[in-house]
Amino acid sequence: GGEGSSSSEDGDDAGVAGEVSAPLNVFIQQHGHHVLFSDLEEYKLLGADVTPLATLTHYAELAEEKGVVLARLDVVRDKALPPQRARELLEAAHRLYVDDEWHELVHDFNHKPQTFDFERVLKTLGHQES
């Protein structure tokens, strides 16, 4: 699958996520066991040439036998994504793919763009508009 398309059923997803301390607009690209987190505005300008903020790799070798998938987050641009924000981003992104209610946001973004509700994303992520 490619960027900005598909669903979790085939293993490739793209979506927009925020994180807990302050809104952070991130474009998420999943390719197999690898996930790239890029600044959304930079991605809009540079496309595939953007340098990601961080990369996440899943190691699924123990999944079948032990029911465990190890994950490693590598922060590529630590000035743009300090450790606490990286941790919060990872936690929010993880919930987007394992929590059914949160994953519905990803599904709607990818498959129902005409009805996608960004205000619902902000509410779900805990960023209430005033």
Side-chain angles (χ1 to χ4, degrees):
E3 59 195 53
S5 65
S6 328
S7 70
S8 62
E9 290 81 34
D10 66 11
D12 290 345
D13 283 312
V16 178
E19 45 87 33
V20 178
S21 67
L24 178 63
N25 293 319
V26 176
F27 186 74
I28 300 173
Q29 297 172 279
Q30 180 180 344
H31 303 281
H33 295 289
H34 305 283
V35 181
L36 303 176
F37 298 95
S38 302
D39 179 274
L40 180 60
E41 293 306 314
E42 290 177 4
Y43 182 82
K44 287 179 182 179
L45 291 171
L46 302 172
D49 293 330
V50 69
T51 300
L53 298 169
T55 62
L56 175 64
T57 305
H58 293 99
Y59 299 92
E61 291 84 359
L62 300 174
E64 197 171 310
E65 181 183 334
K66 303 282 186 186
V68 174
V69 174
L70 302 177
R72 175 185 171 130
L73 181 70
D74 291 299
V75 176
V76 177
R77 297 172 47 204
D78 58 349
K79 289 188 173 146
L81 191 65
Q84 179 60 33
R85 289 178 65 92
R87 192 169 16 266
E88 292 167 349
L89 174 62
L90 178 61
E91 290 169 0
H94 180 75
R95 282 196 67 187
L96 283 168
Y97 290 89
V98 299
D99 180 290
D100 289 340
E101 180 182 350
W102 284 46
H103 189 72
E104 187 177 319
L105 299 170
V106 174
H107 182 270
D108 289 353
F109 178 82
N110 286 312
H111 298 283
K112 302 176 186 176
Q114 68 281 6
T115 60
F116 180 73
D117 181 4
F118 190 69
E119 294 301 319
R120 183 171 164 227
V121 172
L122 292 176
K123 183 178 179 187
T124 301
L125 294 173
H127 301 292
Q128 300 294 331
E129 292 286 306
S130 27

